[in-house]
Amino acid sequence: MSKLLVTGGNFLEGTIAVSGAKNAVLPIIAASLLSGEPIRLDDAPDLLDVKVMSEVIKSLGASVERDGSQLKICATNIDNIEAPYDLVSQMRASIVIMGPLLARLGRVRISHPGGCAIGSRPINWHLKGLEALGAEIHMDHGFLDVKAKNLRGTRIYLDFPSVGATENIMMAAARAQGTTVIENAAQEPEIVDLANFINQMGGKIRGAGTSVIHIEGVREFHGTVHTVIPDRIEAGSYLLMAAATGGDVLVQNVISDHLKPVLAKMEEAGIEFNEEDEGIRIRGNGNYQAVDIKTQVHPGFPTDLQAPFLALLTKSNGTAVVTETVFENRFMHVDELKRMGADVKIEGRSAIVQGTSCLYAAPVTATDLRAGAALILAALTAEGTTEIRGIHHIERGYERIQEKISRIGGKIERVD
Ligand code: UD1
């Protein structure tokens, strides 16, 4: 079993570069299925999840080749409508192939993704949206069989601005007959990147990044070259790690606008940083005030940075209340942090974090990828060497994390 050994006590110092966004590249790889011409994606992070998504579209007949940070995709010969259970069960995000595959071939069979560590995560809004566009959906021995002779544009109101549902509907509607309007759509930067990519292929999407998206269906999509946006969650994780160790780190390849709610909370906590031409520089002192956090959909505080921020708060001055409103069970990292001496109580959907002066090393397990980042952050500030298991979760979403943190002075080693 592979583990990370992280020894606390070093200041992080230097420059760290953020990779392309995992949550942007995954739906973009799926959207490549809309076109039969060659696609090149630049800044495509080399992550476990990206490998799984690449395998999923390869299993459908597409070709995918990696060349450094580029992915070359060609989906000319798509002849399979069924995504293999083995792959889909590894990564819930593979459900975003439903929209583009349905649009391209008129049918898709995919295993129902079921639950995961951070909640039951239903896909009812994805299905409701596809049904509104004219799809017929049947459940068949654990598989969803989705068929549509003709997708037709319509008006869809989402009960909640789900990121995945907005993406699936946007991709199906891009090739439907007529115009689709998604109301109460997700506004995350990854939605904007996906819309830009589809438009570069010939799509006609307006309003991505606002709560109302207009999609005029087109039949022909051509090839394109697209650069994936930087990963705001990876950037936020490194900013918080640098701050927690009292380090001086320039985090490069960041779009500050994507991190506004996080930077606002960092400022409130007393973390010093400068927005520079090349990125964001943290000048930490390791001594911060407790701040309350409530996760919300974009442009609110991102749920994916709740765990790392909570880990930083375990050593702040005072009591902080961290409320999770997006996912139902996203405090799995709390029990692990408590093993390292953190003082945290869960009350319903909130965690009450009482700052302590010292965390100590302990064997801990990453239960999901952001929980993994939280444990690394805590370990970098703890006394002794922390052993982190479950690192495949971390490798799903953080490219070469061990190498990147080592380069700026963190003591982190992977043992197999
Ligand atoms: C995406 C991100 C994930 C991030 C999340 C919220 C990817 C690959 N993952 O996940 O990192 O944490 O957005 O920013 O981009 N829900 C339903 N029914 C549905 C769909 C969602 O009840 O049909 C619920 C979910 O269980 C969850 C909430 O809505 O409680 C938000 O989910 P959603 O925005 O869809 O997140 P994902 O797209 O799964």
Side-chain angles (χ1 to χ4, degrees):
M1 186 192 1
S2 307
K3 336 177 217 189
L4 283 178
L5 299 180
V6 183
T7 306
N10 281 15
F11 301 115
L12 299 184
E13 265 178 313
T15 300
I16 195 164
V18 170
S19 304
K22 169 181 91 72
N23 288 351
V25 79
L26 294 177
I28 285 175
I29 294 173
S32 304
L33 295 173
L34 289 170
S35 167
E37 295 183 13
I39 307 278
R40 196 184 89 204
L41 302 179
D42 291 351
D43 278 357
D46 194 2
L47 299 167
L48 220 53
D49 274 9
V50 174
K51 288 195 179 96
V52 174
M53 187 58 100
S54 302
E55 288 305 317
V56 169
I57 69 159
K58 271 158 98 175
S59 75
L60 304 171
S63 69
V64 184
E65 271 172 48
R66 178 170 283 281
D67 181 2
S69 63
Q70 290 180 350
L71 272 190
K72 292 176 183 156
I73 300 175
C74 194
T76 311
N77 301 311
I78 297 296
D79 45 16
N80 184 10
I81 51 140
E82 184 168 314
Y85 172 74
D86 283 358
L87 292 172
V88 175
S89 59
Q90 279 180 52
M91 189 183 68
R92 194 183 170 282
S94 16
I95 49 165
V96 293
I97 62 151
M98 277 197 300
L101 198 54
L102 189 65
R104 176 90 184 263
L105 296 184
R107 187 165 173 198
V108 50
R109 266 175 64 81
I110 185 165
S111 61
H112 196 290
C116 74
I118 57 174
S120 69
R121 299 185 82 172
I123 55 165
N124 51 320
W125 299 319
H126 298 238
L127 301 180
K128 195 173 148 192
L130 296 179
E131 268 177 337
L133 290 168
E136 282 175 26
I137 301 170
H138 298 284
M139 232 348 223
D140 165 22
H141 295 89
F143 270 79
L144 285 161
D145 195 343
V146 187
K147 291 181 201 165
K149 278 207 187 90
N150 232 335
L151 291 171
R152 282 181 193 280
T154 185
R155 185 170 284 270
I156 298 168
Y157 176 84
L158 288 178
D159 295 335
F160 177 88
S162 152
V163 173
T166 303
E167 291 167 347
N168 244 332
I169 297 167
M170 210 158 79
M171 291 186 274
R175 217 168 183 277
Q177 242 176 48
T179 300
T180 300
V181 180
I182 311 177
E183 289 173 330
N184 199 26
Q187 302 178 41
E188 271 66 3
E190 293 76 19
I191 300 280
V192 180
D193 206 29
L194 175 63
N196 287 342
F197 172 71
I198 295 174
N199 287 347
Q200 277 167 233
M201 290 194 298
K204 289 192 175 167
I205 302 179
R206 285 186 295 118
T210 75
S211 64
V212 184
I213 304 179
H214 291 252
I215 306 139
E216 198 184 314
V218 297
R219 296 304 291 172
E220 295 300 321
F221 288 89
H222 46 78
T224 190
V225 174
H226 178 78
T227 303
V228 178
I229 54 167
D231 195 313
R232 63 195 165 106
I233 307 300
E234 188 196 6
S237 303
Y238 291 139
L239 290 170
L240 293 168
M241 284 180 202
T245 65
D248 182 342
V249 175
L250 174 66
V251 180
Q252 286 176 322
N253 194 28
V254 188
I255 299 176
S256 312
D257 245 24
H258 293 174
L259 276 167
K260 266 190 186 155
V262 182
L263 297 177
K265 282 290 160 186
M266 284 172 38
E267 201 167 5
E268 198 182 321
I271 299 172
E272 222 181 284
F273 62 87
N274 293 326
E275 295 180 39
E276 301 179 357
D277 288 346
E278 272 189 83
I280 302 178
R281 179 180 292 280
I282 286 283
R283 294 182 200 278
N285 62 21
N287 184 21
Y288 308 119
Q289 296 310 312
V291 289
D292 293 342
I293 285 173
K294 191 175 193 178
T295 66
Q296 266 156 358
V297 297
H298 194 76
F301 190 94
T303 171
D304 285 347
L305 283 172
Q306 178 256 105
F309 213 119
L310 187 150
L312 178 130
L313 291 170
T314 61
K315 283 183 81 176
S316 64
N317 304 315
T319 307
V321 180
V322 177
T323 306
E324 174 59 56
T325 73
V326 180
F327 288 107
E328 63 189 84
N329 186 20
R330 207 173 197 180
F331 283 126
M332 308 282 280
H333 42 291
V334 164
D335 279 343
E336 301 302 304
L337 290 169
K338 280 161 87 171
R339 295 164 58 78
M340 300 176 71
D343 182 352
V344 189
K345 259 192 294 195
I346 304 289
E347 281 181 16
R349 297 194 88 153
S350 296
I352 321 294
V353 187
Q354 180 64 54
T356 70
S357 56
C358 181
L359 294 181
Y360 43 80
V364 289
T365 302
T367 47
D368 71 73
L369 79 158
R370 307 307 172 190
L375 295 174
I376 293 178
L377 182 150
L380 286 168
T381 69
E383 268 178 36
T385 300
T386 299
E387 190 182 299
I388 305 178
R389 295 166 193 224
I391 64 172
H392 62 282
H393 287 296
I394 301 172
E395 290 169 352
R396 283 186 42 210
Y398 289 91
E399 190 177 38
R400 293 180 284 107
I401 188 166
Q402 173 215 341
E403 186 189 317
K404 287 189 186 184
I405 295 178
S406 298
R407 268 211 218 131
I408 53 170
K411 272 188 135 184
I412 178 167
E413 188 191 346
R414 187 187 202 279
V415 287
D416 292 314

